[in-house]
Structure formats: structure tokens, C-alpha cells
């Protein structure tokens, strides 16, 4: 069983990017924590981070037949990428949208997600641990987890 974890633009800068908003945890730290949790439950994770919309879409398409679930933080694409939304909409596995910050307490443009209507659920504002919670949920609710 495999899970796909996708991080969008600027999330490669976690740790140094606006730490008062996103914390000091790096993306490598998050991926390490997810790997440990996945290994303890006997599943594999594919990690992809890209600053490019097309690469994120290619990644979703390439993994759609092999992944049992998708955890995605689309970054700012959350708010306007109909192309990523359409790619996710074509996938039949559960999709969890994760945001490190509470987007609903921030600037108004962050209050709307074009991804949310095609996601199974959303976690926002719980920091990097939101990714772990998403993984636990996927593993608890899929047949082989
Ligand atoms: C984010 C929130 C987005 O609004 C922002 O553009 C990001 C990160 C989050 O994880 O809180 O890049 O998705």
C-alpha cells in the first residue's frame, strides 16, 4: 500500500519561511516524521514537492492508479488552481487537504479553497502535525491500513 504526499509552492522553504506563521519545522523534518509513522504501519509513502503547477498535476496523474490516498498541501495554488482541482477530481482515492496555518484567520484571499470541494476532508491550523493526522486518518479508514 502506498500513500502520496504532495507539497506545493514555497513549502520547500519551511523552517525559514515566515516561521511565526509556519513554524520552525522543515519539510525534511515533516517527511521524516511521516516516514517513521508509515513504516510503523507497514505502508510506503511517495513524497513530491514542486513549485510548478504542471509538475503537481503530472504527479497526481502518474500516481492515481498506484496510490491508496493523497495528502496534499497545494500552497497558494489552493486558492486558484482549477487545474490541480480537476486533476484531483479525476482520482477515486481519498484526498486530504492540509494547511499548516489556519487559513481562515489570515488574509481574505486564503479563506477560499478551490480544492476543498473535491477533497475528502481538510485539516488547517494544526501546524506540521496536520500531515501526521491526515496519514493516521487515511490508514485508519482504508481497508489495508
Ligand atoms: C498554506 C496556506 C496557503 O495560503 C499558503 O499560500 C501556503 C501555505 C499552509 O500550509 O498554511 O503556501 O497552504
Amino acid at each position: 500500500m502506498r500513500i502520496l504526499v504532495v507539497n506545493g509552492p514555497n513549502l520547500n522553504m519551511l523552517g525559514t519561511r515566515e516561521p511565526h506563521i509556519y513554524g520552525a519545522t522543515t519539510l525534511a523534518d515533516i517527511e521524516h516524521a511521516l516516514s517513521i509513522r508509515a513504516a510503523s504501519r507497514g505502508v510506503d509513502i511517495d513524497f513530491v514537492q514542486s513549485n510548478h503547477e504542471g509538475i503537481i498535476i503530472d504527479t497526481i496523474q502518474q500516481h492515481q492508479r498506484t496510490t491508496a490516498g493523497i495528502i496534499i498541501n497545494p500552497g497558494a495554488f489552493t486558492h486558484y488552481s482549477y487545474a490541480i482541482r480537476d486533476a484531483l477530481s479525476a482520482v477515486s482515492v481519498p484526498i486530504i487537504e492540509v494547511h499548516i496555518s489556519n487559513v481562515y484567520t489570515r488574509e481574505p484571499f486564503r479563506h477560499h479553497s478551490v480544492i476543498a470541494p473535491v477533497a475528502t476532508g481538510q485539516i488547517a491550523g494544526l501546524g506540521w502535525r496536520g500531515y501526521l493526522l491526515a496519514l493516521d486518518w487515511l490508514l485508519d479508514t482504508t481497508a489495508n491500513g
Side-chain angles (χ1 to χ4, degrees):
M1 178 173 166
R2 307 191 73 83
I3 299 290
L4 175 65
V5 177
V6 181
N7 277 284
N10 298 304
L11 293 162
N12 55 314
M13 302 303 287
L14 287 174
T16 54
R17 174 194 182 195
E18 300 180 277
H20 56 291
I21 296 173
Y22 298 112
T25 305
T26 66
L27 185 57
D29 293 335
I30 294 169
E31 292 181 349
H32 182 64
L34 286 166
S35 294
I36 290 172
R37 182 70 59 94
S40 76
R41 299 190 62 164
V43 299
D44 294 314
I45 304 194
D46 297 302
F47 295 108
V48 176
Q49 187 279 327
S50 180
N51 295 325
H52 304 278
E53 186 177 31
I55 292 176
I56 293 171
I57 293 163
D58 288 345
T59 297
I60 293 165
Q61 292 178 359
Q62 284 158 9
H63 287 80
Q64 64 181 353
R65 284 194 190 80
T66 54
T67 193
I70 298 175
I71 297 168
I72 182 165
N73 182 345
F77 285 140
T78 301
H79 313 299
Y80 65 93
S81 177
Y82 297 118
I84 292 176
R85 172 196 170 124
D86 282 353
L88 290 168
S89 186
V91 170
S92 56
V93 297
I95 298 162
I96 311 300
E97 177 185 346
V98 172
H99 299 288
I100 294 167
S101 66
N102 184 347
V103 286
Y104 302 101
T105 60
R106 299 181 63 196
E107 302 96 318
F109 77 88
R110 298 186 202 277
H111 297 182
H112 182 65
S113 168
V114 301
I115 305 300
V118 300
T120 309
Q122 185 192 63
I123 296 171
L126 303 185
W128 69 269
R129 290 177 181 82
Y131 292 91
L132 277 183
L133 294 167
L135 180 62
D136 282 341
W137 186 89
L138 281 174
L139 299 184
D140 288 347
T141 56
T142 51
N144 299 320

